[in-house]
Amino acid sequence: MSGAAELPSMVDIVFETRTRSLPRYYRQGLARAIAAAVPGWSSWPLAGIHRLNVAGDGGPTALLSRRTRLILRVPRRVATDVRAGLSQASLAVAGSQLVLGDGRLRELLPWGTLYAHTVLARADDDEPSFLRSVRDELDRLGVGGRVICGRRHDLDDEGLNGFGLMVDQLQAPDALRVMEHGLGERRALGCGIFVPHKSAAAVGAMP
């Protein structure tokens, strides 16, 4: 009789947000705030902060709706402590306060199509060279699938940028591996963190 399937090593923690705006370039400030508030954060190389779902007109302010969530991807073994430590917390982010509600755990689901809003690119990367580096990294993880490049995005005002990326035609074990490991660098800035997506056809239209 076989044992139960092993759970993924990483899990998401989803927090309600009670703040309605942040500076447009919030990512560096949020990364520093999480590192300060979560003991041991810097020792978890695969931990990351999902990009916040915000709206803006290109000006200095990013608007958060009542449905905006702060989502952290963390090792399963520390998730309960991280959730308890950040529930109802107020984080100083780039001169503003990000006020959180309660957190809940959310399992990683191995869909056949995954999407990352931004995977970090080198400054001199064009789309073909970026895709070659992505393919090399997937090969090192032992992951097949097809990669589709999306739009280029500026991450902050210091020159960091990357491309949206879809990986589809994945088997379940490969999908979980991509979600657990991510691709590229700067997870704390929301880069290389993959989530399930319904269709590869929409990658070019993702904002």
Side-chain angles (χ1 to χ4, degrees), residues 86-111:
L86 287 180
S87 290
Q88 305 293 326
S90 180
L91 304 175
V93 177
S96 298
Q97 293 294 315
L98 178 61
V99 181
L100 305 179
D102 291 325
R104 60 180 175 83
L105 301 186
R106 186 174 71 188
E107 294 291 341
L108 306 186
L109 300 177
W111 286 31

Side-chain angles (χ1 to χ4, degrees), residues 27 51 114-122 125 130-131 133-135 137-138 147-155 160-167 178 182-187 189-194:
R27 297 188 195 222
R51 167 185 172 268
L114 301 176
Y115 181 75
H117 180 271
T118 309
V119 175
L120 194 70
R122 296 184 298 265
D125 269 350
F130 169 75
L131 286 175
S133 66
V134 165
R135 185 72 262 169
E137 191 168 355
L138 288 172
V147 293
I148 305 169
C149 193
R151 297 179 183 178
R152 192 162 199 146
H153 302 286
D154 292 326
L155 297 177
L160 290 176
N161 61 77
F163 292 92
L165 187 73
M166 189 80 77
V167 185
V178 171
L183 293 176
E185 300 178 348
R186 303 295 186 103
R187 290 297 177 279
L189 299 185
C191 298
I193 301 175
F194 284 82

Side-chain angles (χ1 to χ4, degrees), residues 3-21:
E6 185 177 351
L7 292 170
S9 62
M10 306 291 285
V11 66
D12 284 343
I13 313 176
V14 182
F15 294 93
E16 297 176 357
T17 61
R18 296 173 179 166
T19 298
R20 302 281 71 91
S21 67

Side-chain angles (χ1 to χ4, degrees), residues 40-106:
W41 178 267
S42 61
S43 66
W44 309 327
L46 300 182
I49 305 170
H50 289 243
R51 167 185 172 268
L52 293 175
N53 184 16
V54 299
D57 59 2
T61 302
L63 302 178
L64 285 66
S65 77
R66 295 186 182 279
R67 293 184 295 177
T68 299
R69 300 291 183 260
L70 171 68
I71 307 174
L72 307 181
R73 185 159 293 173
V74 301
R76 180 179 296 277
R77 58 185 171 80
V78 301
T80 299
D81 289 340
V82 174
R83 178 179 61 176
L86 287 180
S87 290
Q88 305 293 326
S90 180
L91 304 175
V93 177
S96 298
Q97 293 294 315
L98 178 61
V99 181
L100 305 179
D102 291 325
R104 60 180 175 83
L105 301 186
R106 186 174 71 188

